[in-house]
Amino acid sequence: MRSKNKERLSQEDIKARLMFLIGAVLSFVFLIVTLGITYALIFVTQPIGNQAPNDAAFIDLLKTLAIFLTGSLGGVLASNGLKDKQKSDYEKIIERRLSGNDTP
C-alpha cells in the first residue's frame, strides 16, 4: 500500500511521462501499420494482371494512416521542450511577491 504522504509529481515530470506514453503508443501503432502494409504486399496473393480493388483500397488507407502517424509522431517528439523555458530571476521574484510568499 502506498503512503499518502508521497510527494506529488511536478508539472515537468507529468509532461515527460505523458510525452513518453504518447510517443510509445504512436510508435506501436506505426509499427502495426507498417507490418500490415508489408504483409499485404508480400504475402497476399494478387491476380496476375492487376491488383484487386479491395486490396488497393486497403493499402491506400494504410499508406494514408502511416503518413499521418509519421507526421504526428514527429510533431509530438519535436515539440517536446519547445514551450518549456526557464523563468528569469525577475519573473521568479515577481511570482513570489504576487503569491504573498516574499515581502520586500
Side-chain angles (χ1 to χ4, degrees), residues 40-41 44-60:
L41 291 174
V44 175
T45 305
Q46 300 292 330
I48 298 291
N50 56 359
Q51 191 177 33
N54 289 343
D55 290 340
F58 175 69
I59 292 173
D60 221 19

Side-chain angles (χ1 to χ4, degrees), residues 32-34 36-38 40 57-67:
I32 296 300
V33 168
T34 304
I37 291 173
T38 304
F58 175 69
I59 292 173
D60 221 19
L61 178 67
L62 286 178
K63 285 181 190 176
T64 304
L65 184 63
I67 292 170

Side-chain angles (χ1 to χ4, degrees), residues 1-10 13 17:
M1 184 171 209
R2 292 187 177 189
S3 171
K4 292 191 181 219
N5 294 332
K6 184 177 179 184
E7 291 185 27
R8 295 181 66 146
L9 294 174
S10 69
D13 291 336
R17 288 182 182 193

Side-chain angles (χ1 to χ4, degrees), residues 14-24 75-81:
I14 293 172
K15 183 177 179 184
R17 288 182 182 193
L18 181 63
M19 295 299 276
F20 176 76
L21 181 66
I22 290 171
V76 165
L77 296 178
S79 70
N80 189 14

Side-chain angles (χ1 to χ4, degrees), residues 76-89:
V76 165
L77 296 178
S79 70
N80 189 14
L82 290 180
K83 296 178 185 173
D84 295 339
K85 66 176 186 175
Q86 296 293 331
K87 292 183 180 179
S88 68
D89 291 334

